[in-house]
Amino acid sequence: MGIVNVTPDSFSDGGRLGDAQAAIRYALKLQEAGADILDVGGESTRPGAAAVSADEEIRRVLPVIEALADQGCVVSVDTMKPEVMRAALDAGAAMVNDVMALRAPGALEAVAARDAAVCLMHMQGDPQHMQQAPSYTDVVQDVKQFLQGRMAACEAAGINRERLVIDPGFGFGKTLEHNLALLRHLDCLTELGLPVLAGLSRKSMLGTLTGRGVEEREFAGLAAHLMAVARGAKILRVHNVAAMRDALAIWNAVEEQLDGT
Ligand code: 7PJ
């Protein structure tokens, strides 16, 4: 899954993808580099980021989603807002990627009425305050139980299991220790029986461990994502699709070799 930010204040691509045409060109390059899904987002969810109105978010992402879907791309929309979900699905998005796991009022209904896939991500608190004092009894079990609860809420709302993907939400209301425990024990989440998505690209845990700035976390990210794959992750949400594809080519070649012997 390649990340396409259409936000003026995104922490890493900010400004560079300021207009729809640039975002579309950028997304098509990610697809050429081997992305299976293009994740289009119009609201930054980095810690402390300012909220954006639904109208503004729709204005940012809709032209990008329409153009990409028209060209046959598989598009997901990274949003918490039911209005944006509806508009994006009408414009051809195939997936809703929600860091709130459809907890916003009306979100379950917006998705249930359509036929799209959904990524349910765990977040403790809200983007404005989530990094202030993250706290868990047992982070792996707490996240697992939360996701199980959201899976049940989806099914009760008429969203079949076959449509769901789950994600521990690295960096969303988590300390370094929480993030490391979730990565180490990611296989516990695969026990829920759904594809697991992992998103670690450029995140601050990589900076903490390497001392590197946002633009210099590529190699750390590749290592972290391969460790997620080793523990069962099926979708990786990344900025540098070409680099991730190369790493996966090696991974897959070795794993196939193992399977055949
Ligand atoms: C994630 C996301 C993630 C899913 C963001 C960033 C912050 N969606 N949206 N999982 N992160 N599913 O890219 O650093 O980890 S926005």
Side-chain angles (χ1 to χ4, degrees), residues 89 94 111-117 163:
L89 294 175
V111 172
R114 318 297 162 101
D115 184 23
R163 296 169 58 183

Side-chain angles (χ1 to χ4, degrees), residues 3 11 39 45-46 78 97 99 119 121 167 169-170 172 197 199 201 203 237 239:
I3 300 169
F11 80 105
D39 190 41
T45 42
R46 72 180 167 173
D78 188 349
N97 173 27
V99 300
C119 179
M121 197 199 79
D167 180 345
F170 290 105
F172 284 83
L197 185 155
S201 196
K203 287 192 175 172
R237 183 179 177 277
H239 294 88

